[in-house]
Amino acid sequence: MTDQTQHIATPTSEPAKPARKRVGGGILGLTRKDFALLVIVILLTVLAPFLLNPFPTDSAMAQFNAGYPDLMQRFVIFGIFAIGFNILFGLTGYLSFGHAAFLGVGSYSCVWMFKLLGYNVLPGIGLAIIISGLFALLIGFISLRRSGIYFSILTLAFAQMSFALAYSVLSNPKFNLTNGETGLQVYTNDPQIFHNPATTVNAPHIFGLAMRETETLSLGRWDFQFNVGYYLSAFFMVICFYLAIRLFRSPFGMMLRAVKSNQQRLNYTGLNPKPYTLAAFVISGMYAGLAGGLLSAMDPLAGAERMQWTASGEVVLMTILGGAGTLIGPVLGAGFIKYFENIFSKINESTLQAWFAFMPDGMQDVVVAIVYPFVGKGWNLTLGLLFMVVVIFLPGGLVQGGQKIATVFRRDRKASGVEDDAAEQRQAGE
Amino acid sequence: MGILEVKNVGKRFGGLQALSDINLSITQGTVHAIIGPNGAGKSTLLNCLVGKLIPDTGSVSFEGKSVLGRKPHEINQMGISRVFQTPEIFGDLSVMENMMIPCLAKRDGAFSLQAYHALLSDREIVDRAEHMLEDMNMADKRNMHAAAMSRGDKRRLEIGMCLAQEPRLLLLDEPTAGMARADTNNTIDLLKQIKDSRPITIAIIEHDMHVVFSLAEWITVLAQGTPLVEDTPDKIKGHPKVREAYLGESAEH
């Protein structure tokens, strides 16, 4: 993974005189390529309501539209979650199987702020980041005493413990922190000391602007929805993405890749790998906490299932599917999985019958019977197969797939994009 | 008083007494070779010097300060660098990045959280690393993946990385093991050049007598975990005890 090296632009023809080009200090402190990537991400998030709604509202294909607020919010929130996870897993190679714990802690913290202070989301999001960071410090301090599979198992154990705590232990009548099975939510008798129902909306808001508020733009047969919650989450995601680029290109980022590459050498170079991995763990825990806080800000209900191991596994899938160690990969992976979860799962038997209605009767039933297990409730099956295909043929994830396609269309057939090295490296490592 | 003082060091692994009663003094500014047949305890001794193993008895001190109980990275920060038998470099990183890491370690210590400013805008580190690469004659390889280089080049890079930290003591564990003759000779030349160009002390563990007699100014012979003799290379060459230990023949033969 030598993302940086390609920018040390010294032609090999003149090795004696290192004529470096401008280094660093570009726009927003990013190199031109990184800045281009950031601009692409900004454009994608800003224009998402259009891009994700390619089909007219009344058409048969409308069910493949993903441009509705609830799903778009999930895209960017889980994008944040995956960007953070990638800082730990993609750079240091430490595979945490318990990251959902931080997501859950963030969610609970945010709802508690709603209950105590009021419905403005900013205190909740702030507290979510702080508490999950502290929680990550504790879990990381203990789990990072081991590496490899033992580290993964320790994090998994911690996350399952947190789940059990949230689900039952911490929801007894004497001390009800999580409200157990029901999930933590805001009740009318909660203090909400800064909340004035007469002047502000009775739902999560930012300075009076409710998260659920949606503006619909109708253009011909298309409806495009612009949601406050989505744009707030997207704003946070862009910030997170920018900070992740800075981190990837910083000395700290290089040290994290060095941890993955050779801890022995790092030790004997006078560097202590432990604080580096712990810092990465805490940073990625804070990203997860922010994601959790935003989930609660969009829908003020925090349940323990958010901490379950399946949720931890999901972010691992997102990161690997998109391309671990690349910048944009985790965001793509998160979008991909959330799209499947929400769109493929909605296809039911009658939809299939309608699609294949053009076939002769017997054949239609056979085709529907074959396809049916892969859609609707079986969307996990399709996702599993896709995941296998990606891991086997594209170990660098979707980013590597994108590069392969780009290479085909390029004349010189020489791949050289921002993300190439990381994805190639990943492939070489498999 | 040498730069490194080893006193009465002993180390036992289960039923095996790997080292017993080792006394060793490495004089500042010399090349000190530690030789001995397989299983003599050379590597165990080296591991005791860098903090990978803790000796059961005795003391090890560097420039008058004890190294015992310190972690490898702390010992490194005291001024001891180590080159491994198989080159240990950051294979996933570029040659340039490999060189920047020790430069950062030298300047910023064992840990520093610089997660925001761009690495490549840090002129001091970039210049220093490039300077070191030129010193090592590797400037043309700066963008290569370190893992893709030949073994000789990896060794050269590893030594360069150690030197970037300006250590006062450089420990080499069989630096030419598994190398072709040409690479071995290159490494010998490199080490000679290093020795002549800076005030550094070198301790070298080596099997290859060609390397030992090309470089060493003082030789300690280990056998069965204990020092057999120590002397200048000329004296060691014809020493009957050494021949016996190495060739398994008694002196009368």
Side-chain angles (χ1 to χ4, degrees), chain A residues 112-159:
Chain A
W112 266 110
M113 282 290 101
F114 292 158
K115 286 166 85 73
L116 297 174
L117 299 184
Y119 268 127
N120 194 321
V121 296
L122 291 183
I125 290 169
L127 188 76
I129 298 173
I130 293 165
I131 299 285
S132 55
L134 293 173
F135 200 59
L137 189 66
L138 176 74
I139 293 187
F141 184 77
I142 299 168
S143 304
L144 285 166
R145 304 178 81 83
R146 291 282 170 270
S147 61
I149 188 76
Y150 302 100
F151 168 78
S152 303
I153 296 295
L154 278 171
T155 50
L156 176 63
F158 270 112

Side-chain angles (χ1 to χ4, degrees), chain B residues 113-126:
Chain B
L113 186 61
Q114 305 169 58
Y116 192 70
H117 80 252
L119 174 66
L120 295 181
S121 63
D122 195 334
R123 297 304 294 238
E124 189 190 339
I125 294 297
V126 171

